Amino acid sequence: LVKILAQVTAIMVIPMVGGAVAGLVIDGMQGTSPLYVLIGLAVGTLISAIGIWLLIRSGVRKGYTRRSTHEDR
């Protein structure tokens, strides 16, 4: 459970923070205010959503969503 929570956190936080930081840098170079930060957050959110979708899809393929019953044991 902790491993899955760590994966989900990393998949969500790294792209969003990376997009925001990249947006801040580009905004500083271009002299624009929140434009590239917002674009970076939007791209980071999209990447995070795709990452979570891929994580869920791999879990479904591995059978993690199947409920175990006493008959399976």
Side-chain angles (χ1 to χ4, degrees), residues 15-52:
M16 293 177 78
V17 171
V21 170
L24 280 172
V25 170
I26 295 171
D27 273 338
M29 292 188 317
Q30 297 291 324
T32 55
S33 182
L35 177 65
Y36 288 105
V37 172
L38 295 175
I39 291 172
L41 283 172
V43 170
T45 302
L46 179 65
I47 291 170
S48 296
I50 292 170
I52 294 296

Side-chain angles (χ1 to χ4, degrees), residues 1-71:
L1 180 64
V2 174
K3 182 181 175 184
I4 293 172
L5 290 175
Q7 283 180 324
V8 169
T9 302
I11 289 171
M12 292 182 70
V13 170
I14 292 171
M16 293 177 78
V17 171
V21 170
L24 280 172
V25 170
I26 295 171
D27 273 338
M29 292 188 317
Q30 297 291 324
T32 55
S33 182
L35 177 65
Y36 288 105
V37 172
L38 295 175
I39 291 172
L41 283 172
V43 170
T45 302
L46 179 65
I47 291 170
S48 296
I50 292 170
I52 294 296
W53 175 67
L54 291 173
L55 182 67
I56 291 170
R57 188 176 74 167
S58 70
V60 168
R61 287 185 177 175
K62 291 178 183 175
Y64 291 143
T65 58
R66 194 181 94 207
R67 291 183 180 254
S68 64
T69 61
H70 294 294
E71 297 170 2

